[in-house]
Amino acid sequence: MVDFSLKCKVALVTGASHGIGFAIAEAYINAGATVVFNSSNPDSLERGLKAYKEKGLEIRGYVCDVTKEEDVTNMVASIEKEIGTIDILVNNAGIIKRIPMCDMSVGEFSQVIDVDLVAPFIMSKAVIPAMIKKGHGKIINICSMMSELGRETVSAYAAAKGGLKMLTRNIASEYGEYNIQCNGIGPGYIATSQTAPLRQPQPDGSRHPFDAFIISKTPAARWGTPEDLMGPAVFLASDASDFINGQILYVDGGILAYIGKQPK
Ligand code: NAP
Ligand code: GCO
């Protein structure tokens, strides 16, 4: 019988006070996992805990800046002491800076790389030893369509998410023999606070040009929602995907497969 249950598993979803991480954490709770999450600051953590409580979802939260190795080591140690060792890690925390590359400072570029690529390295390093001892583990990296494609103003983000795709493949290669599966989810364009600026209606009430562009480039003819990622995230965290390793599962409404609607 195929097992999609996450019962008796401990899952950590980084940056899950809202958005995609929140939806994945909710899906894991409903699939039977004991779920914990982190935020980079106490205010966001409190907002997140309130939102989970309002939905009747039991979860514990920690303040942890995923770019700081000492913070991460302390958080993982606290989780192991208070809850148990981590069976499932979702590297969801991420930022984007939309700046033309030649206008971007090295500091701005490095900040995106730190959160979107170095932090998943730090987080994965922190949980893999216990996964090896336990004889199983799941690491899911939230990649992006920008793991495959570029576009104006997102050079740092695309470089980070492209690197995250290869980090995913390398973790799978290096630790697959310990029954650790590391895969990625590549969301398409999802309606969250991260993409809100791209969907802001124009002063005359018309669609933002980028909004109309994405609708035309997506066979599903809509933006994705965080809920669209729940099933794929449960699948990759469950025993049902134990022989899948180093893959990126694109949840994009078909956009990567589509050349785009020909002009009428
Ligand atoms: P979001 O609403 O901006 O959420 C991002 C989360 O990352 C925030 O909750 C934030 O938590 C957390 N975070 C940022 N820096 C952090 C740090 N240093 N330490 C700890 N947490 C940190 O974005 P989203 O749309 O849900 O995106 C979630 C993930 O999906 C990101 O990796 C993003 O790149 C990826 N993605 C998004 C889309 C999309 O279209 N929305 C598509 C593909 C991939 P706090 O504010 O609580 O600290
Ligand atoms: C952008 C968007 C994208 C999405 C996502 C697509 O500015 O192009 O923010 O990067 O967030 O990563 O998969």
Side-chain angles (χ1 to χ4, degrees), residues 151-173:
R151 82 173 185 87
E152 304 77 8
T153 77
V154 296
S155 58
Y157 184 81
K161 293 297 188 179
L164 186 57
K165 173 175 75 172
M166 287 314 301
L167 178 64
T168 300
R169 290 182 178 161
N170 213 77
I171 292 171
S173 307

Side-chain angles (χ1 to χ4, degrees), residues 19-222:
I20 289 171
F22 185 99
I24 292 175
E26 178 178 0
Y28 285 4
I29 292 166
N30 292 336
T34 299
V35 184
V36 296
F37 79 103
N38 74 290
S39 286
S40 63
N41 66 80
D43 291 346
S44 182
L45 180 76
E46 282 317 306
R47 283 195 299 275
L49 287 169
K50 185 167 176 284
Y52 284 108
K53 191 159 189 263
E54 280 166 2
K55 292 193 87 171
L57 297 166
E58 202 175 315
I59 194 165
R60 188 176 292 206
Y62 296 81
V63 174
C64 172
D65 178 345
V66 292
T67 65
K68 294 192 169 50
E69 190 164 30
E70 193 181 343
D71 280 13
V72 169
T73 307
N74 292 339
M75 174 177 67
V76 170
S78 300
I79 294 168
E80 290 184 349
K81 186 161 162 268
E82 296 158 14
I83 310 271
T85 49
I86 294 162
D87 301 292
I88 302 159
L89 167 66
V90 180
N91 285 309
N92 168 77
I95 61 170
I96 191 167
K97 289 183 184 299
R98 299 183 183 94
I99 304 168
M101 196 187 84
C102 291
D103 299 341
M104 189 175 233
S105 70
V106 172
E108 288 166 328
F109 187 92
S110 302
Q111 195 188 349
V112 176
I113 298 289
D114 280 349
V115 179
D116 295 5
L117 180 55
V118 177
F121 159 75
I122 293 171
M123 287 301 315
S124 302
K125 243 182 83 174
V127 303
I128 284 173
M131 290 178 171
I132 291 175
K133 281 203 194 96
K134 271 183 126 168
H136 67 257
K138 297 279 187 180
I139 297 174
I140 296 155
N141 293 322
I142 307 300
C143 296
S144 161
M145 280 179 42
M146 271 58 208
S147 298
E148 304 292 342
L149 301 172
R151 82 173 185 87
E152 304 77 8
T153 77
V154 296
S155 58
Y157 184 81
K161 293 297 188 179
L164 186 57
K165 173 175 75 172
M166 287 314 301
L167 178 64
T168 300
R169 290 182 178 161
N170 213 77
I171 292 171
S173 307
E174 199 163 355
Y175 296 101
E177 67 178 282
Y178 302 103
N179 191 29
I180 293 171
Q181 291 85 45
C182 182
N183 292 291
I185 289 176
Y189 279 84
I190 311 295
T192 68
S193 53
Q194 193 241 49
T195 54
L198 306 174
R199 292 176 283 109
Q200 193 70 31
Q202 299 289 82
D204 65 3
S206 63
R207 272 185 189 281
H208 187 296
F210 197 89
D211 182 357
F213 170 66
I214 290 303
I215 298 290
S216 74
K217 285 285 282 180
T218 308
R222 66 173 176 90

